[in-house]
Amino acid sequence: MHLTTLILSSSLILVIAILIYPLLTTLNPNPQDQKWAITHVKTSVKAAFLMSLLPLMIFLDQGTETIITNWHWMNTAPFDINISFKFDHYSIIFTPIALYVTWSILEFASWYMHSDPLMNRFFKYLLLFLVAMILLVSANNMFQLFIGWEGVGIMSFLLIGWWYGRADANTAALQAVLYNRVGDIGLIMAMAWLAMNLNSWEIQQIFFLSKNFDMTLPLIGLILAATGKSAQFGLHPWLPSAMEGPTPVSALLHSSTMVVAGIFLLIRLHPLMENNNIALTTCLCLGALTTLFTAACALTQNDIKKIVAFSTSSQLGLMMVTIGLNQPQLAFLHICTHAFFKAMLFLCSGSIIHSLNDEQDIRKMGGLQNLMPMTSTCLTIGSLALTGTPFLAGFFSKDAIIEALNTSHLNAWALILTLIATSFTAVYSFRVVYFVTMGTPRFLPLSPINENNPSVINPIKRLAWGSIIAGLIITSSFLPSKTPIMSMPLTLKLAALLVTIIGLLTALELTAMTNKQFKITPTIPPHHFSNMLGYFPAIIHRLTPKLNLSLGQSIATQLIDQTWFEATGPKGVSSLQVKMAKTVSDAQQGMIKTYLTIFLLTTTIAILLATI
Amino acid sequence: MTPVHFSFCSAFILGLMGLTFHRTHLLSALLCLEGMMLSLFIALALWTLQFEMTGFSAAPMLLLAFSACEASAGLALLVATARTHGTDRLQNLNLLQC
């Protein structure tokens, strides 16, 4: 076998094997030692990352992609299911990035969860999640993808509800599972359609056969699945609620890896969508609506983790818009760059939260620039990368997306929404940086502010380096498959930057007004709309269950118990009969013998007459 | 009349007389009712055989099923009488008219 493919395939399988090995060591009945999390899990992820750089370099050098089919798992008569890994452009690039981010998060988690007695289990759950995610991105058939999909959903549930003694955490975990389940309906519908009509779950066969079919129905199913998993509008409330989990969970699952699974599904199956305008328009408008709505909600939140969660949701909307623009590679680029700075923002938040003795409200932080210089610097770097500051990581993906949006001949409404959301990004990012790092301290004097632990500093520094140079490295290494439009008017070219600067200037003006009374009475309705998340959870989580439960109760009590059983059913029949029997039996006098004797006489005469 | 015809007619009339002229127990009336049903069953079966109407063969079964229902209704009445009046003796039934 050719040396290149041999190295590629064996190193990729080795990556997965290295990740699975610590999970297997937990299967023996002897308890692990205290340091198992650090010695086994973190080193295995680090080793897997270093190992996965080899396929990345081979792909960079020679453009080799590989499909590894290991095992024919099961079949019904015409339908086969194999275990099959597809390492193409997307999964070869995503795997090292995911492993790099996970390595940093695990190192951070060894500090963050230090006082937790079940830290080994926490790391095991994170590793299990990572394995499921790698399975998802490397799946070559829908069944394996579904296994990874469900795996990340279940691990999300277990990790969000890590502090299960807290009722809010249990509610949030349940919310995550239910909203993901609604999305799963779409995925299962798409899989069922594919199995029935194309008779295959292998991606190559699906691409080949889909030319002859009208793919609208499975595409709507896939978009629904992406809506659930990637928190698009309509199925979005679980993502801010998922901040109940520990910060490493938020950093890994709900910023870099799990929530991009929905977008990744659409990127993977993009050839099905290229020519279907209904699906593309749905993605475009849904993504635009999501990005604006969640950015608007982020403007008035006071919990630092919730602001970052909403910014994740907003960026996911932007990725959905990119898919609607028929640019899957740009969406993938944004996934990769977004992983770095979003994970870093979460890690900085975690460092701040722990240092201020578990304080998460930004109104009670302030002045941390001098007290936690490294963390606040990286927070600023992450925020700048998020807003698309030129030549940081976010710029390459975000600016490219907005340029593509500007020069496309598609929906102008989606464009306007996206631009407004981009300006909001600048506003809430500045709000976070202002409240956390600037001004005078608003926290208690004896806060245990200490960022001197290398387990905290090194991960954040690594991710900071990633946030700065990742965009440049990725764009300069890989050719785009669709030619970007290079010539456009100057205002369109600078549109993203202009809008961001306008947002930043507006935010600066607003902060200068905090000690002046511009209006006697504040404008309450927009603030309340934004702070209550658009009233979406308040309506949907209260009204719909209440209506359903009261409908169920009226069916059970009034329809079945009172109507069918009592008025028309058994009891109704018996009450009717009793009334009739009483009326009739009043007329009788009870001379049974007389009646029966006459009856006998009549019958005997009738029989005798009939026979003679 | 043929001998068979005579036998089930007389069985029917005897059962009817037993139902009519019952003296002491309600249960004996119910037993005579059962005898009437039995004679009717034999009559229906013989009708099918005599006139060779194979489509009518299910009729005796139908009669049996319905007679079982009626017998159970009669027994329920017996039990109810025994509950309220203590025995099924017929002179008890109009002892205390309410």
Side-chain angles (χ1 to χ4, degrees):
Chain A
M1 197 167 143
H2 194 227
L3 195 62
T4 312
T5 50
L6 187 62
I7 298 177
L8 192 63
S9 314
S10 49
S11 49
L12 287 164
I13 297 295
L14 194 57
V15 164
I16 300 178
I18 292 175
L19 289 175
I20 293 182
Y21 168 71
L23 295 173
L24 293 175
T25 60
T26 63
L27 287 177
N28 65 344
N30 305 326
Q32 280 83 36
D33 60 0
Q34 291 299 102
K35 296 234 168 245
W36 173 84
I38 304 176
T39 53
H40 278 70
V41 180
K42 189 179 73 119
T43 41
S44 84
V45 172
K46 186 167 157 183
F49 164 67
L50 293 170
M51 194 76 226
S52 69
L53 285 180
L54 188 57
L56 183 65
M57 295 306 143
I58 294 179
F59 178 72
L60 264 179
D61 181 43
Q62 301 182 10
T64 326
E65 306 180 353
T66 178
I67 296 175
I68 310 168
T69 306
N70 281 344
W71 189 32
H72 179 186
W73 193 345
M74 58 179 111
N75 67 328
T76 59
F79 192 81
D80 291 325
I81 296 180
N82 307 314
I83 295 188
S84 171
F85 298 96
K86 179 179 165 89
F87 285 103
D88 63 341
H89 165 90
Y90 297 129
S91 33
I92 290 188
I93 300 179
F94 185 78
T95 308
I97 292 178
L99 288 171
Y100 182 77
V101 170
T102 312
W103 169 31
S104 306
I105 292 174
L106 286 179
E107 198 176 336
F108 177 81
S110 66
W111 172 78
Y112 195 81
M113 308 295 289
H114 176 75
S115 58
D116 196 321
L118 294 173
M119 191 167 98
N120 285 342
R121 187 187 291 183
F122 185 74
F123 274 63
K124 184 168 89 163
Y125 284 178
L126 283 179
L127 190 60
L128 203 51
F129 164 80
L130 184 65
V131 171
M133 190 71 203
I134 302 287
L135 272 183
L136 199 158
V137 305
S138 63
N140 193 28
N141 56 353
M142 298 297 290
F143 189 66
Q144 209 166 317
L145 191 134
F146 187 67
I147 293 177
W149 186 273
E150 292 296 303
V152 298
I154 290 295
M155 297 324 293
S156 167
F157 169 75
L158 290 174
L159 284 167
I160 295 175
W162 177 254
W163 290 314
Y164 52 80
R166 201 178 137 82
D168 281 343
N170 289 333
T171 318
L174 197 60
Q175 229 178 320
V177 166
L178 290 176
Y179 275 115
N180 275 343
R181 257 294 169 253
V182 175
D184 289 351
I185 295 175
L187 185 61
I188 293 177
M189 177 176 82
M191 284 169 70
W193 190 97
L194 290 172
M196 286 196 315
N197 291 51
L198 302 181
N199 194 34
S200 174
W201 275 343
E202 301 276 329
I203 290 189
Q204 285 75 35
Q205 202 167 339
I206 292 173
F207 287 168
F208 185 65
L209 290 173
S210 65
K211 309 273 188 296
N212 308 324
F213 286 86
D214 175 28
M215 300 289 288
T216 311
L217 187 61
L219 286 173
I220 298 295
L222 291 174
I223 293 174
L224 181 62
T227 311
K229 191 67 97 180
S230 296
Q232 303 297 309
F233 182 75
L235 297 177
H236 66 278
W238 68 270
L239 189 53
S241 305
M243 298 297 119
E244 292 286 335
T247 308
V249 170
S250 308
L252 185 56
L253 272 74
H254 305 121
S255 63
S256 340
T257 28
M258 185 185 109
V259 291
V260 300
I263 305 287
F264 197 87
L265 175 73
L266 289 179
I267 292 177
R268 197 39 122 197
L269 296 176
H270 188 79
L272 302 177
M273 279 206 321
E274 275 172 332
N275 301 319
N276 192 318
N277 280 327
I278 299 176
L280 289 175
T281 316
T282 313
C283 283
L284 191 69
C285 298
L286 184 63
L289 182 61
T290 306
T291 180
L292 180 63
F293 179 76
T294 49
C297 289
L299 291 176
T300 54
Q301 298 298 313
N302 294 317
D303 183 351
I304 189 174
K305 282 178 73 174
K306 283 229 168 36
I307 300 180
V308 187
F310 275 114
S311 93
T312 307
S313 208
S314 185
Q315 299 303 308
L316 289 170
L318 189 66
M319 294 174 205
M320 189 66 122
V321 165
T322 324
I323 291 182
L325 284 177
N326 242 334
Q327 301 272 6
Q329 279 201 318
L330 280 184
F332 180 70
L333 177 64
H334 197 55
I335 288 179
C336 296
T337 52
H338 173 259
F340 287 103
F341 50 77
K342 198 45 68 72
M344 184 170 74
L345 282 175
F346 269 113
L347 292 195
C348 294
S349 320
S351 169
I352 294 169
I353 290 170
H354 249 27
S355 294
L356 297 181
N357 204 16
D358 296 333
E359 179 57 64
Q360 290 185 300
D361 196 334
I362 55 172
R363 299 172 290 191
K364 290 190 182 177
M365 304 175 188
L368 287 178
Q369 194 162 342
N370 299 317
L371 297 165
M372 301 178 71
M374 178 66 74
T375 309
S376 49
T377 315
C378 293
L379 189 73
T380 315
I381 293 177
S383 300
L384 286 175
L386 173 61
T387 57
T389 311
F391 311 121
L392 292 182
F395 169 74
F396 291 95
S397 48
K398 226 175 162 188
D399 205 66
I401 292 173
I402 296 193
E403 265 179 36
L405 192 54
N406 277 336
T407 54
S408 69
H409 299 289
L410 294 174
N411 209 324
W413 175 77
L415 170 65
I416 294 176
L417 289 189
T418 313
L419 286 176
I420 298 177
T422 314
S423 69
F424 282 176
T425 310
V427 175
Y428 62 68
S429 300
F430 175 72
R431 185 166 179 261
V432 169
V433 169
Y434 177 70
F435 272 94
V436 169
T437 60
M438 299 188 195
T440 53
R442 295 180 294 275
F443 47 84
L444 299 171
L446 284 180
S447 301
I449 298 182
N450 184 6
E451 59 168 16
N452 289 325
N453 198 329
S455 318
V456 180
I457 295 295
N458 287 341
I460 295 182
K461 264 199 281 196
R462 276 202 297 271
L463 289 177
W465 278 115
S467 306
I468 297 173
I469 59 179
L472 183 61
I473 292 182
I474 298 178
T475 44
S476 55
S477 310
F478 302 104
L479 289 173
S481 57
K482 293 186 204 263
T483 346
I485 297 181
M486 295 293 191
S487 55
M488 60 192 92
L490 188 63
T491 38
L492 283 189
K493 183 88 184 162
L494 297 176
L497 199 56
L498 282 175
V499 176
T500 309
I501 293 178
I502 290 174
L504 184 62
L505 290 175
T506 317
L508 283 168
E509 278 297 311
L510 285 171
T511 53
M513 277 190 224
T514 46
N515 50 3
K516 304 180 188 61
Q517 223 178 6
F518 186 61
K519 280 166 73 162
I520 308 295
T521 53
T523 322
I524 292 297
H527 172 91
H528 282 184
F529 180 83
S530 169
N531 204 10
M532 295 288 291
L533 316 183
Y535 308 113
F536 189 95
I539 297 175
I540 301 294
H541 294 172
R542 302 281 172 96
L543 186 66
T544 325
K546 177 173 176 293
L547 286 177
N548 277 332
L549 288 172
S550 55
L551 179 70
Q553 191 196 31
S554 64
I555 288 179
T557 311
Q558 288 172 350
L559 186 60
I560 295 183
D561 281 348
Q562 288 175 351
T563 311
W564 289 127
F565 286 166
E566 294 203 8
T568 52
K571 285 202 187 160
V573 170
S574 68
S575 63
L576 197 62
Q577 298 298 321
V578 162
K579 278 196 211 126
M580 289 201 294
K582 275 202 189 134
T583 323
V584 169
S585 56
D586 282 342
Q588 302 191 357
Q589 280 133 26
M591 297 188 294
I592 300 288
K593 279 234 177 96
T594 321
Y595 301 154
L596 281 178
T597 318
I598 298 176
F599 175 63
L600 171 67
L601 220 53
T602 318
T603 318
T604 319
I605 294 175
I607 291 178
L608 289 173
L609 274 178
T611 53
I612 295 177
Chain B
M1 278 201 191
T2 59
V4 180
H5 191 182
F6 176 72
S7 60
F8 71 71
C9 274
S10 54
F12 184 78
I13 293 173
L14 279 173
L16 192 54
M17 282 204 288
L19 179 65
T20 316
F21 300 131
H22 61 266
R23 290 258 210 114
T24 33
H25 287 283
L26 187 58
L27 190 57
S28 51
L30 293 177
L31 283 170
C32 293
L33 203 58
E34 287 307 300
M36 286 163 65
M37 284 301 119
L38 194 58
S39 68
L40 283 176
F41 176 81
I42 293 178
L44 271 184
L46 287 175
W47 194 332
T48 315
L49 288 171
Q50 182 75 5
F51 296 115
E52 290 179 20
M53 302 193 299
T54 46
F56 208 57
S57 324
M61 285 309 299
L62 224 56
L63 178 68
L64 213 55
F66 283 121
S67 92
C69 298
E70 135 204 3
S72 55
L75 280 173
L77 281 172
L78 183 74
V79 170
T81 316
R83 274 236 184 125
T84 49
H85 288 88
T87 75
D88 66 342
R89 280 177 171 266
L90 291 168
Q91 62 247 43
N92 266 8
L93 284 180
N94 55 1
L95 212 51
L96 208 60
Q97 295 203 347
C98 1

